[in-house]
Short mmCIF file of all heavy atoms in Angstrom, two decimals:
data_model
loop_
_atom_site.label_atom_id
_atom_site.label_comp_id
_atom_site.label_asym_id
_atom_site.label_seq_id
_atom_site.Cartn_x
_atom_site.Cartn_y
_atom_site.Cartn_z
N MET A 29 61.35 -131.97 -98.17
CA MET A 29 62.29 -132.80 -97.47
C MET A 29 63.10 -133.66 -98.44
O MET A 29 64.27 -133.89 -98.21
CB MET A 29 61.57 -133.71 -96.48
CG MET A 29 60.92 -133.01 -95.35
SD MET A 29 62.09 -132.03 -94.45
CE MET A 29 61.01 -130.81 -93.84
N LYS A 30 62.42 -134.10 -99.47
CA LYS A 30 63.07 -134.95 -100.46
C LYS A 30 64.23 -134.20 -101.12
O LYS A 30 65.32 -134.74 -101.28
CB LYS A 30 62.04 -135.38 -101.51
CG LYS A 30 62.54 -136.33 -102.53
CD LYS A 30 61.38 -136.74 -103.43
CE LYS A 30 61.86 -137.56 -104.58
NZ LYS A 30 60.77 -137.98 -105.45
N ASP A 31 64.02 -132.93 -101.44
CA ASP A 31 65.07 -132.11 -102.06
C ASP A 31 66.24 -131.90 -101.11
O ASP A 31 67.39 -131.85 -101.55
CB ASP A 31 64.51 -130.77 -102.51
CG ASP A 31 63.48 -130.91 -103.61
OD1 ASP A 31 63.54 -131.91 -104.35
OD2 ASP A 31 62.61 -130.02 -103.73
N LEU A 32 65.97 -131.77 -99.84
CA LEU A 32 67.03 -131.60 -98.83
C LEU A 32 67.94 -132.83 -98.80
O LEU A 32 69.16 -132.70 -98.85
CB LEU A 32 66.42 -131.36 -97.46
CG LEU A 32 67.38 -131.31 -96.27
CD1 LEU A 32 68.25 -130.06 -96.37
CD2 LEU A 32 66.61 -131.33 -94.97
N VAL A 33 67.34 -134.01 -98.77
CA VAL A 33 68.12 -135.25 -98.73
C VAL A 33 68.91 -135.43 -100.02
O VAL A 33 70.08 -135.82 -99.99
CB VAL A 33 67.20 -136.46 -98.45
CG1 VAL A 33 67.96 -137.76 -98.56
CG2 VAL A 33 66.55 -136.33 -97.09
N VAL A 34 68.29 -135.11 -101.16
CA VAL A 34 68.98 -135.25 -102.45
C VAL A 34 70.19 -134.33 -102.52
O VAL A 34 71.29 -134.74 -102.91
CB VAL A 34 68.02 -134.96 -103.63
CG1 VAL A 34 68.78 -134.83 -104.93
CG2 VAL A 34 66.99 -136.06 -103.74
N SER A 35 70.04 -133.09 -102.11
CA SER A 35 71.15 -132.14 -102.22
C SER A 35 72.30 -132.51 -101.28
O SER A 35 73.47 -132.40 -101.66
CB SER A 35 70.66 -130.72 -101.93
OG SER A 35 70.19 -130.60 -100.62
N ILE A 36 72.01 -132.98 -100.08
CA ILE A 36 73.06 -133.38 -99.16
C ILE A 36 73.76 -134.64 -99.66
O ILE A 36 74.99 -134.74 -99.63
CB ILE A 36 72.49 -133.58 -97.74
CG1 ILE A 36 72.04 -132.25 -97.17
CG2 ILE A 36 73.52 -134.23 -96.83
CD1 ILE A 36 71.28 -132.35 -95.88
N ALA A 37 72.98 -135.60 -100.13
CA ALA A 37 73.56 -136.86 -100.60
C ALA A 37 74.43 -136.63 -101.84
O ALA A 37 75.50 -137.23 -101.97
CB ALA A 37 72.47 -137.87 -100.91
N LYS A 38 74.00 -135.77 -102.75
CA LYS A 38 74.80 -135.50 -103.95
C LYS A 38 76.13 -134.83 -103.60
O LYS A 38 77.12 -135.02 -104.29
CB LYS A 38 74.02 -134.62 -104.93
CG LYS A 38 72.97 -135.40 -105.69
CD LYS A 38 72.33 -134.55 -106.75
CE LYS A 38 71.34 -135.39 -107.56
NZ LYS A 38 70.78 -134.64 -108.68
N ALA A 39 76.15 -134.07 -102.53
CA ALA A 39 77.39 -133.42 -102.10
C ALA A 39 78.36 -134.43 -101.48
O ALA A 39 79.57 -134.21 -101.49
CB ALA A 39 77.09 -132.31 -101.11
N LEU A 40 77.85 -135.54 -100.97
CA LEU A 40 78.69 -136.52 -100.29
C LEU A 40 79.31 -137.56 -101.22
O LEU A 40 80.38 -138.06 -100.94
CB LEU A 40 77.87 -137.26 -99.22
CG LEU A 40 77.43 -136.45 -98.01
CD1 LEU A 40 76.48 -137.27 -97.17
CD2 LEU A 40 78.63 -136.03 -97.19
N VAL A 41 78.65 -137.90 -102.30
CA VAL A 41 79.04 -139.05 -103.12
C VAL A 41 79.90 -138.66 -104.31
O VAL A 41 79.97 -137.49 -104.69
CB VAL A 41 77.80 -139.83 -103.60
CG1 VAL A 41 77.01 -140.38 -102.43
CG2 VAL A 41 76.92 -138.98 -104.48
N ASP A 42 80.55 -139.69 -104.91
CA ASP A 42 81.34 -139.47 -106.12
C ASP A 42 80.49 -139.52 -107.38
O ASP A 42 80.86 -138.95 -108.40
CB ASP A 42 82.44 -140.55 -106.23
CG ASP A 42 83.53 -140.34 -105.21
OD1 ASP A 42 83.75 -139.19 -104.78
OD2 ASP A 42 84.18 -141.34 -104.83
N ARG A 43 79.38 -140.23 -107.32
CA ARG A 43 78.49 -140.36 -108.47
C ARG A 43 77.13 -139.73 -108.15
O ARG A 43 76.16 -140.44 -107.83
CB ARG A 43 78.32 -141.83 -108.83
CG ARG A 43 79.60 -142.46 -109.28
CD ARG A 43 79.36 -143.87 -109.74
NE ARG A 43 80.58 -144.38 -110.32
CZ ARG A 43 81.23 -145.42 -109.84
NH1 ARG A 43 80.77 -146.05 -108.79
NH2 ARG A 43 82.34 -145.83 -110.42
N PRO A 44 77.01 -138.40 -108.25
CA PRO A 44 75.75 -137.75 -107.89
C PRO A 44 74.59 -138.07 -108.83
O PRO A 44 73.44 -137.90 -108.45
CB PRO A 44 76.10 -136.25 -107.93
CG PRO A 44 77.31 -136.15 -108.74
CD PRO A 44 78.04 -137.44 -108.62
N ASP A 45 74.89 -138.56 -110.03
CA ASP A 45 73.80 -138.89 -110.95
C ASP A 45 73.04 -140.14 -110.51
O ASP A 45 71.91 -140.35 -110.94
CB ASP A 45 74.36 -139.11 -112.36
CG ASP A 45 74.95 -137.83 -112.94
OD1 ASP A 45 74.54 -136.74 -112.50
OD2 ASP A 45 75.83 -137.94 -113.81
N ASP A 46 73.66 -140.96 -109.68
CA ASP A 46 73.02 -142.20 -109.22
C ASP A 46 72.20 -142.02 -107.95
O ASP A 46 71.61 -142.97 -107.46
CB ASP A 46 74.08 -143.28 -108.99
CG ASP A 46 74.72 -143.75 -110.27
OD1 ASP A 46 74.14 -143.50 -111.34
OD2 ASP A 46 75.79 -144.38 -110.20
N VAL A 47 72.13 -140.81 -107.41
CA VAL A 47 71.38 -140.56 -106.18
C VAL A 47 69.89 -140.43 -106.53
O VAL A 47 69.51 -139.66 -107.39
CB VAL A 47 71.87 -139.27 -105.49
CG1 VAL A 47 70.97 -138.91 -104.31
CG2 VAL A 47 73.30 -139.43 -105.03
N GLN A 48 69.09 -141.24 -105.84
CA GLN A 48 67.64 -141.19 -106.01
C GLN A 48 66.98 -141.25 -104.64
O GLN A 48 67.44 -141.99 -103.76
CB GLN A 48 67.15 -142.36 -106.85
CG GLN A 48 67.67 -142.38 -108.26
CD GLN A 48 67.22 -143.64 -108.98
OE1 GLN A 48 66.64 -144.55 -108.39
NE2 GLN A 48 67.49 -143.68 -110.27
N VAL A 49 65.92 -140.49 -104.47
CA VAL A 49 65.16 -140.52 -103.22
C VAL A 49 63.69 -140.73 -103.57
O VAL A 49 63.13 -140.02 -104.39
CB VAL A 49 65.33 -139.21 -102.42
CG1 VAL A 49 64.46 -139.23 -101.18
CG2 VAL A 49 66.78 -139.01 -102.03
N GLN A 50 63.11 -141.74 -102.93
CA GLN A 50 61.68 -142.00 -103.11
C GLN A 50 60.97 -141.78 -101.78
O GLN A 50 61.48 -142.14 -100.73
CB GLN A 50 61.46 -143.44 -103.57
CG GLN A 50 62.00 -143.72 -104.95
CD GLN A 50 61.81 -145.17 -105.35
OE1 GLN A 50 61.50 -146.02 -104.52
NE2 GLN A 50 62.00 -145.44 -106.62
N SER A 51 59.82 -141.18 -101.86
CA SER A 51 59.04 -140.88 -100.66
C SER A 51 57.88 -141.88 -100.56
O SER A 51 57.13 -142.07 -101.52
CB SER A 51 58.50 -139.46 -100.75
OG SER A 51 57.71 -139.16 -99.65
N VAL A 52 57.76 -142.53 -99.41
CA VAL A 52 56.68 -143.47 -99.15
C VAL A 52 55.84 -142.88 -98.02
O VAL A 52 56.30 -142.79 -96.87
CB VAL A 52 57.22 -144.86 -98.77
CG1 VAL A 52 56.08 -145.81 -98.46
CG2 VAL A 52 58.12 -145.40 -99.86
N GLU A 53 54.63 -142.47 -98.34
CA GLU A 53 53.74 -141.85 -97.36
C GLU A 53 53.08 -142.92 -96.49
O GLU A 53 52.55 -143.90 -96.99
CB GLU A 53 52.64 -141.06 -98.07
CG GLU A 53 53.15 -139.90 -98.91
CD GLU A 53 53.59 -138.73 -98.08
OE1 GLU A 53 53.05 -138.55 -96.96
OE2 GLU A 53 54.47 -137.99 -98.54
N GLY A 54 53.15 -142.72 -95.21
CA GLY A 54 52.47 -143.60 -94.26
C GLY A 54 51.38 -142.81 -93.54
O GLY A 54 51.15 -141.64 -93.84
N THR A 55 50.73 -143.45 -92.59
CA THR A 55 49.67 -142.75 -91.87
C THR A 55 50.24 -141.72 -90.90
O THR A 55 49.69 -140.64 -90.75
CB THR A 55 48.79 -143.75 -91.10
OG1 THR A 55 49.62 -144.52 -90.23
CG2 THR A 55 48.05 -144.65 -92.06
N GLN A 56 51.37 -142.06 -90.26
CA GLN A 56 51.96 -141.13 -89.30
C GLN A 56 53.36 -140.69 -89.69
O GLN A 56 53.82 -139.64 -89.25
CB GLN A 56 52.02 -141.78 -87.92
CG GLN A 56 50.65 -142.06 -87.35
CD GLN A 56 50.76 -142.70 -85.98
OE1 GLN A 56 51.84 -142.94 -85.48
NE2 GLN A 56 49.61 -142.97 -85.37
N VAL A 57 54.06 -141.50 -90.50
CA VAL A 57 55.46 -141.24 -90.82
C VAL A 57 55.66 -141.30 -92.33
O VAL A 57 55.08 -142.15 -93.00
CB VAL A 57 56.38 -142.29 -90.15
CG1 VAL A 57 57.82 -142.06 -90.51
CG2 VAL A 57 56.20 -142.28 -88.65
N THR A 58 56.47 -140.40 -92.84
CA THR A 58 56.87 -140.45 -94.24
C THR A 58 58.28 -141.02 -94.28
O THR A 58 59.19 -140.50 -93.65
CB THR A 58 56.85 -139.05 -94.88
OG1 THR A 58 55.53 -138.51 -94.76
CG2 THR A 58 57.24 -139.11 -96.33
N VAL A 59 58.46 -142.10 -95.03
CA VAL A 59 59.76 -142.75 -95.16
C VAL A 59 60.42 -142.28 -96.44
O VAL A 59 59.83 -142.36 -97.51
CB VAL A 59 59.61 -144.29 -95.17
CG1 VAL A 59 60.96 -144.95 -95.34
CG2 VAL A 59 58.93 -144.77 -93.91
N LEU A 60 61.63 -141.76 -96.33
CA LEU A 60 62.41 -141.37 -97.50
C LEU A 60 63.46 -142.44 -97.74
O LEU A 60 64.28 -142.71 -96.87
CB LEU A 60 63.07 -140.01 -97.27
CG LEU A 60 62.12 -138.83 -97.08
CD1 LEU A 60 62.90 -137.57 -96.78
CD2 LEU A 60 61.26 -138.63 -98.30
N GLU A 61 63.39 -143.07 -98.91
CA GLU A 61 64.32 -144.14 -99.26
C GLU A 61 65.41 -143.56 -100.15
O GLU A 61 65.14 -143.08 -101.24
CB GLU A 61 63.59 -145.26 -99.99
CG GLU A 61 62.56 -145.96 -99.13
CD GLU A 61 61.81 -147.03 -99.88
OE1 GLU A 61 61.89 -147.07 -101.13
OE2 GLU A 61 61.14 -147.84 -99.22
N LEU A 62 66.65 -143.60 -99.67
CA LEU A 62 67.79 -143.06 -100.39
C LEU A 62 68.53 -144.19 -101.09
O LEU A 62 68.98 -145.14 -100.46
CB LEU A 62 68.73 -142.34 -99.41
CG LEU A 62 70.05 -141.82 -99.95
CD1 LEU A 62 69.82 -140.76 -101.03
CD2 LEU A 62 70.88 -141.23 -98.84
N HIS A 63 68.63 -144.09 -102.42
CA HIS A 63 69.35 -145.07 -103.23
C HIS A 63 70.62 -144.40 -103.75
O HIS A 63 70.54 -143.32 -104.35
CB HIS A 63 68.51 -145.52 -104.43
CG HIS A 63 67.25 -146.21 -104.05
ND1 HIS A 63 67.19 -147.56 -103.83
CD2 HIS A 63 66.00 -145.74 -103.83
CE1 HIS A 63 65.95 -147.89 -103.51
NE2 HIS A 63 65.21 -146.80 -103.49
N VAL A 64 71.77 -145.03 -103.54
CA VAL A 64 73.04 -144.52 -104.06
C VAL A 64 73.78 -145.68 -104.73
O VAL A 64 73.42 -146.85 -104.57
CB VAL A 64 73.93 -143.90 -102.95
CG1 VAL A 64 73.28 -142.68 -102.36
CG2 VAL A 64 74.26 -144.91 -101.87
N HIS A 65 74.82 -145.36 -105.47
CA HIS A 65 75.66 -146.38 -106.10
C HIS A 65 76.32 -147.19 -104.97
O HIS A 65 76.70 -146.63 -103.94
CB HIS A 65 76.71 -145.71 -106.98
CG HIS A 65 77.43 -146.66 -107.86
ND1 HIS A 65 78.51 -147.37 -107.45
CD2 HIS A 65 77.18 -147.04 -109.14
CE1 HIS A 65 78.93 -148.14 -108.44
NE2 HIS A 65 78.12 -147.95 -109.48
N PRO A 66 76.47 -148.50 -105.16
CA PRO A 66 77.06 -149.34 -104.09
C PRO A 66 78.44 -148.87 -103.62
O PRO A 66 78.77 -149.03 -102.44
CB PRO A 66 77.14 -150.73 -104.73
CG PRO A 66 76.06 -150.73 -105.75
CD PRO A 66 75.99 -149.33 -106.27
N GLU A 67 79.23 -148.28 -104.49
CA GLU A 67 80.55 -147.80 -104.07
C GLU A 67 80.46 -146.55 -103.19
O GLU A 67 81.39 -146.25 -102.45
CB GLU A 67 81.41 -147.51 -105.29
CG GLU A 67 81.80 -148.75 -106.07
CD GLU A 67 82.63 -148.43 -107.30
OE1 GLU A 67 83.03 -147.27 -107.46
OE2 GLU A 67 82.87 -149.36 -108.08
N ASP A 68 79.35 -145.82 -103.28
CA ASP A 68 79.17 -144.61 -102.48
C ASP A 68 78.42 -144.86 -101.18
O ASP A 68 78.22 -143.93 -100.40
CB ASP A 68 78.40 -143.56 -103.30
CG ASP A 68 79.22 -143.01 -104.45
OD1 ASP A 68 80.46 -142.95 -104.32
OD2 ASP A 68 78.63 -142.64 -105.47
N LEU A 69 78.03 -146.08 -100.94
CA LEU A 69 77.25 -146.40 -99.76
C LEU A 69 77.99 -146.07 -98.47
O LEU A 69 77.42 -145.50 -97.54
CB LEU A 69 76.86 -147.88 -99.78
CG LEU A 69 75.76 -148.33 -98.86
CD1 LEU A 69 74.48 -147.55 -99.13
CD2 LEU A 69 75.52 -149.81 -99.02
N GLY A 70 79.28 -146.35 -98.42
CA GLY A 70 80.08 -146.06 -97.23
C GLY A 70 80.21 -144.58 -96.96
O GLY A 70 80.28 -144.15 -95.81
N LYS A 71 80.22 -143.78 -98.00
CA LYS A 71 80.33 -142.32 -97.81
C LYS A 71 79.05 -141.74 -97.23
O LYS A 71 79.09 -140.78 -96.48
CB LYS A 71 80.66 -141.66 -99.14
CG LYS A 71 82.04 -142.01 -99.61
CD LYS A 71 82.34 -141.36 -100.91
CE LYS A 71 83.74 -141.82 -101.32
NZ LYS A 71 84.06 -141.45 -102.67
N VAL A 72 77.92 -142.32 -97.59
CA VAL A 72 76.64 -141.82 -97.07
C VAL A 72 76.43 -142.29 -95.63
O VAL A 72 75.92 -141.55 -94.81
CB VAL A 72 75.48 -142.29 -97.98
CG1 VAL A 72 74.14 -141.93 -97.38
CG2 VAL A 72 75.62 -141.67 -99.36
N ILE A 73 76.90 -143.51 -95.33
CA ILE A 73 76.73 -144.03 -93.97
C ILE A 73 77.76 -143.41 -93.03
O ILE A 73 77.43 -143.02 -91.91
CB ILE A 73 76.83 -145.57 -93.97
CG1 ILE A 73 75.65 -146.14 -94.74
CG2 ILE A 73 76.85 -146.10 -92.54
CD1 ILE A 73 75.73 -147.62 -94.96
N GLY A 74 79.00 -143.29 -93.46
CA GLY A 74 80.04 -142.70 -92.63
C GLY A 74 80.61 -143.68 -91.62
O GLY A 74 80.16 -144.80 -91.49
N ARG A 75 81.64 -143.23 -90.93
CA ARG A 75 82.27 -144.08 -89.92
C ARG A 75 81.31 -144.29 -88.76
O ARG A 75 80.82 -143.33 -88.16
CB ARG A 75 83.54 -143.43 -89.39
CG ARG A 75 84.65 -143.48 -90.38
CD ARG A 75 85.92 -143.05 -89.73
NE ARG A 75 87.00 -143.14 -90.71
CZ ARG A 75 88.22 -142.81 -90.46
NH1 ARG A 75 88.56 -142.36 -89.26
NH2 ARG A 75 89.15 -142.92 -91.38
N GLN A 76 81.08 -145.55 -88.46
CA GLN A 76 80.19 -145.97 -87.38
C GLN A 76 78.79 -145.34 -87.51
O GLN A 76 78.09 -145.14 -86.53
CB GLN A 76 80.80 -145.66 -86.02
CG GLN A 76 82.08 -146.40 -85.76
CD GLN A 76 82.68 -146.06 -84.42
OE1 GLN A 76 82.22 -145.17 -83.73
NE2 GLN A 76 83.72 -146.79 -84.05
N GLY A 77 78.41 -144.99 -88.74
CA GLY A 77 77.07 -144.46 -88.99
C GLY A 77 76.87 -143.02 -88.62
O GLY A 77 75.75 -142.54 -88.52
N ARG A 78 77.96 -142.29 -88.44
CA ARG A 78 77.83 -140.89 -87.99
C ARG A 78 77.18 -140.00 -89.03
O ARG A 78 76.35 -139.15 -88.69
CB ARG A 78 79.21 -140.33 -87.63
CG ARG A 78 79.74 -140.89 -86.34
CD ARG A 78 81.02 -140.21 -85.95
NE ARG A 78 81.55 -140.86 -84.77
CZ ARG A 78 82.82 -141.15 -84.60
NH1 ARG A 78 83.70 -140.86 -85.53
NH2 ARG A 78 83.22 -141.74 -83.50
N THR A 79 77.53 -140.17 -90.30
CA THR A 79 76.95 -139.34 -91.36
C THR A 79 75.46 -139.64 -91.51
O THR A 79 74.65 -138.73 -91.63
CB THR A 79 77.69 -139.56 -92.68
OG1 THR A 79 79.08 -139.33 -92.48
CG2 THR A 79 77.19 -138.62 -93.75
N ALA A 80 75.11 -140.92 -91.49
CA ALA A 80 73.70 -141.31 -91.58
C ALA A 80 72.91 -140.77 -90.39
O ALA A 80 71.79 -140.28 -90.54
CB ALA A 80 73.58 -142.82 -91.66
N ARG A 81 73.51 -140.83 -89.21
CA ARG A 81 72.85 -140.31 -88.01
C ARG A 81 72.65 -138.80 -88.12
O ARG A 81 71.59 -138.27 -87.73
CB ARG A 81 73.69 -140.65 -86.77
CG ARG A 81 72.92 -140.56 -85.49
CD ARG A 81 73.69 -141.08 -84.27
NE ARG A 81 74.39 -142.33 -84.54
CZ ARG A 81 75.71 -142.49 -84.36
NH1 ARG A 81 76.46 -141.50 -83.92
NH2 ARG A 81 76.28 -143.66 -84.60
N ALA A 82 73.63 -138.10 -88.67
CA ALA A 82 73.51 -136.65 -88.84
C ALA A 82 72.43 -136.31 -89.87
O ALA A 82 71.66 -135.36 -89.68
CB ALA A 82 74.84 -136.06 -89.27
N LEU A 83 72.35 -137.08 -90.95
CA LEU A 83 71.29 -136.88 -91.95
C LEU A 83 69.92 -137.08 -91.32
O LEU A 83 68.99 -136.31 -91.57
CB LEU A 83 71.46 -137.86 -93.11
CG LEU A 83 72.38 -137.46 -94.23
CD1 LEU A 83 72.65 -138.66 -95.15
CD2 LEU A 83 71.78 -136.34 -95.03
N ARG A 84 69.80 -138.11 -90.51
CA ARG A 84 68.51 -138.37 -89.85
C ARG A 84 68.15 -137.27 -88.85
O ARG A 84 66.98 -136.91 -88.71
CB ARG A 84 68.54 -139.73 -89.17
CG ARG A 84 68.54 -140.87 -90.17
CD ARG A 84 68.47 -142.23 -89.51
NE ARG A 84 68.40 -143.26 -90.52
CZ ARG A 84 69.37 -144.15 -90.75
NH1 ARG A 84 70.47 -144.15 -90.01
NH2 ARG A 84 69.23 -145.05 -91.69
N ALA A 85 69.16 -136.72 -88.18
CA ALA A 85 68.90 -135.63 -87.23
C ALA A 85 68.44 -134.38 -87.97
O ALA A 85 67.51 -133.69 -87.51
CB ALA A 85 70.16 -135.34 -86.42
N LEU A 86 69.07 -134.07 -89.10
CA LEU A 86 68.63 -132.92 -89.90
C LEU A 86 67.21 -133.11 -90.40
O LEU A 86 66.40 -132.18 -90.39
CB LEU A 86 69.57 -132.71 -91.08
CG LEU A 86 70.91 -132.06 -90.79
CD1 LEU A 86 71.81 -132.12 -92.02
CD2 LEU A 86 70.70 -130.62 -90.37
N LEU A 87 66.91 -134.31 -90.86
CA LEU A 87 65.58 -134.61 -91.37
C LEU A 87 64.54 -134.51 -90.25
O LEU A 87 63.45 -133.98 -90.47
CB LEU A 87 65.58 -136.01 -91.98
CG LEU A 87 64.40 -136.40 -92.82
CD1 LEU A 87 64.28 -135.47 -94.02
CD2 LEU A 87 64.56 -137.82 -93.29
N SER A 88 64.90 -134.97 -89.08
CA SER A 88 63.99 -134.88 -87.94
C SER A 88 63.73 -133.43 -87.54
O SER A 88 62.60 -133.04 -87.27
CB SER A 88 64.57 -135.65 -86.77
OG SER A 88 63.76 -135.50 -85.63
N ALA A 89 64.79 -132.63 -87.53
CA ALA A 89 64.64 -131.21 -87.15
C ALA A 89 63.82 -130.45 -88.19
O ALA A 89 62.96 -129.64 -87.84
CB ALA A 89 66.01 -130.57 -87.00
N ALA A 90 64.07 -130.72 -89.45
CA ALA A 90 63.30 -130.05 -90.52
C ALA A 90 61.85 -130.52 -90.49
O ALA A 90 60.93 -129.73 -90.73
CB ALA A 90 63.93 -130.33 -91.88
N GLY A 91 61.62 -131.79 -90.20
CA GLY A 91 60.26 -132.30 -90.11
C GLY A 91 59.52 -131.74 -88.91
O GLY A 91 58.31 -131.53 -88.96
N HIS A 92 60.25 -131.50 -87.83
CA HIS A 92 59.63 -130.92 -86.64
C HIS A 92 59.07 -129.53 -86.94
O HIS A 92 57.99 -129.18 -86.47
CB HIS A 92 60.64 -130.87 -85.50
CG HIS A 92 60.07 -130.38 -84.21
ND1 HIS A 92 59.18 -131.13 -83.48
CD2 HIS A 92 60.24 -129.22 -83.54
CE1 HIS A 92 58.84 -130.44 -82.41
NE2 HIS A 92 59.47 -129.28 -82.42
N ARG A 93 59.81 -128.78 -87.75
CA ARG A 93 59.33 -127.44 -88.12
C ARG A 93 58.09 -127.51 -89.00
O ARG A 93 57.24 -126.63 -88.97
CB ARG A 93 60.42 -126.67 -88.85
CG ARG A 93 61.56 -126.28 -87.93
CD ARG A 93 62.49 -125.36 -88.62
NE ARG A 93 61.83 -124.06 -88.76
CZ ARG A 93 62.38 -122.99 -89.26
NH1 ARG A 93 63.61 -123.05 -89.70
NH2 ARG A 93 61.73 -121.86 -89.35
N ALA A 94 58.00 -128.58 -89.81
CA ALA A 94 56.86 -128.75 -90.71
C ALA A 94 55.73 -129.54 -90.05
O ALA A 94 54.71 -129.81 -90.69
CB ALA A 94 57.31 -129.46 -91.98
N HIS A 95 55.92 -129.93 -88.78
CA HIS A 95 54.93 -130.70 -88.02
C HIS A 95 54.62 -132.05 -88.68
O HIS A 95 53.47 -132.48 -88.75
CB HIS A 95 53.64 -129.91 -87.82
CG HIS A 95 53.85 -128.60 -87.14
ND1 HIS A 95 54.20 -128.50 -85.81
CD2 HIS A 95 53.81 -127.32 -87.62
CE1 HIS A 95 54.34 -127.24 -85.50
NE2 HIS A 95 54.10 -126.50 -86.57
N LYS A 96 55.68 -132.69 -89.19
CA LYS A 96 55.55 -134.02 -89.79
C LYS A 96 56.71 -134.88 -89.30
O LYS A 96 57.74 -134.37 -88.89
CB LYS A 96 55.59 -133.95 -91.31
CG LYS A 96 54.39 -133.27 -91.91
CD LYS A 96 54.41 -133.36 -93.41
CE LYS A 96 53.18 -132.72 -94.01
NZ LYS A 96 53.17 -132.84 -95.45
N ARG A 97 56.54 -136.20 -89.38
CA ARG A 97 57.60 -137.13 -88.98
C ARG A 97 58.19 -137.78 -90.22
O ARG A 97 57.45 -138.24 -91.09
CB ARG A 97 57.06 -138.20 -88.05
CG ARG A 97 56.71 -137.64 -86.69
CD ARG A 97 56.33 -138.73 -85.72
NE ARG A 97 57.37 -139.77 -85.74
CZ ARG A 97 57.26 -140.91 -85.13
NH1 ARG A 97 56.16 -141.20 -84.45
NH2 ARG A 97 58.22 -141.82 -85.17
N TYR A 98 59.49 -137.80 -90.28
CA TYR A 98 60.20 -138.40 -91.41
C TYR A 98 61.25 -139.39 -90.88
O TYR A 98 61.85 -139.16 -89.84
CB TYR A 98 60.94 -137.34 -92.24
CG TYR A 98 60.01 -136.40 -92.97
CD1 TYR A 98 59.65 -135.18 -92.42
CD2 TYR A 98 59.53 -136.73 -94.22
CE1 TYR A 98 58.82 -134.32 -93.09
CE2 TYR A 98 58.69 -135.88 -94.90
CZ TYR A 98 58.33 -134.68 -94.34
OH TYR A 98 57.51 -133.82 -95.01
N THR A 99 61.45 -140.45 -91.64
CA THR A 99 62.55 -141.37 -91.36
C THR A 99 63.33 -141.56 -92.65
O THR A 99 62.79 -141.41 -93.75
CB THR A 99 62.07 -142.73 -90.84
OG1 THR A 99 61.23 -143.33 -91.80
CG2 THR A 99 61.34 -142.60 -89.52
N LEU A 100 64.60 -141.90 -92.52
CA LEU A 100 65.47 -142.09 -93.67
C LEU A 100 65.95 -143.52 -93.72
O LEU A 100 66.48 -144.03 -92.73
CB LEU A 100 66.67 -141.14 -93.60
CG LEU A 100 67.69 -141.25 -94.72
CD1 LEU A 100 67.09 -140.79 -96.04
CD2 LEU A 100 68.92 -140.44 -94.40
N GLU A 101 65.74 -144.18 -94.85
CA GLU A 101 66.24 -145.52 -95.09
C GLU A 101 67.29 -145.42 -96.20
O GLU A 101 67.00 -144.87 -97.27
CB GLU A 101 65.12 -146.46 -95.53
CG GLU A 101 64.07 -146.70 -94.48
CD GLU A 101 64.58 -147.53 -93.33
OE1 GLU A 101 65.43 -148.40 -93.54
OE2 GLU A 101 64.11 -147.29 -92.20
N ILE A 102 68.47 -145.94 -95.95
CA ILE A 102 69.54 -145.93 -96.95
C ILE A 102 69.61 -147.31 -97.58
O ILE A 102 69.87 -148.29 -96.90
CB ILE A 102 70.88 -145.54 -96.31
CG1 ILE A 102 70.77 -144.16 -95.67
CG2 ILE A 102 72.00 -145.56 -97.35
CD1 ILE A 102 71.94 -143.76 -94.82
N LEU A 103 69.37 -147.37 -98.89
CA LEU A 103 69.31 -148.62 -99.61
C LEU A 103 70.41 -148.68 -100.67
O LEU A 103 70.87 -147.65 -101.16
CB LEU A 103 67.96 -148.79 -100.29
CG LEU A 103 66.74 -148.64 -99.38
CD1 LEU A 103 65.47 -148.63 -100.20
CD2 LEU A 103 66.70 -149.74 -98.36
N GLU A 104 70.80 -149.90 -101.04
CA GLU A 104 71.80 -150.06 -102.10
C GLU A 104 71.17 -149.80 -103.44
O GLU A 104 70.09 -150.12 -103.74
CB GLU A 104 72.37 -151.47 -102.10
CG GLU A 104 73.45 -151.64 -101.07
CD GLU A 104 74.15 -152.97 -101.23
OE1 GLU A 104 74.64 -153.26 -102.32
OE2 GLU A 104 74.18 -153.69 -100.24
#
């Protein structure tokens, strides 16, 4: 899942070298923390959060197939 988020985020931003994803394992949910350059933050979030919502939907669908729960946190 981490590789999926990295590849999508790198395609969206102007500075793909600054994209980092950290995985935090929980008891029921795995949280993926996405770090991007502050200037690219708007591109990852999108208008009214549509891009972020689409990323979360993809992550949820992929996690459903793997029988795991994932959430995405977008950080500066």
Side-chain angles (χ1 to χ4, degrees):
M29 293 304 152
K30 184 176 173 180
D31 295 334
L32 174 68
V33 174
V34 169
S35 63
I36 292 171
K38 283 186 176 185
L40 291 172
V41 298
D42 288 333
R43 296 186 173 118
D45 296 335
D46 292 343
V47 173
Q48 297 175 353
V49 176
Q50 294 178 346
S51 178
V52 179
E53 297 285 332
T55 56
Q56 296 180 359
V57 178
T58 302
V59 178
L60 297 177
E61 296 178 346
L62 174 62
H63 298 272
V64 296
H65 192 275
E67 292 179 8
D68 291 329
L69 196 57
K71 292 179 182 170
V72 174
I73 294 172
R75 287 190 178 179
Q76 297 179 352
R78 287 186 185 137
T79 305
R81 198 173 316 124
L83 274 169
R84 289 184 177 113
L86 283 171
L87 193 61
S88 175
H92 184 70
R93 290 189 72 176
H95 303 290
K96 292 186 178 182
R97 290 187 50 188
Y98 292 95
T99 60
L100 178 67
E101 295 290 327
I102 301 171
L103 306 172
E104 279 189 55

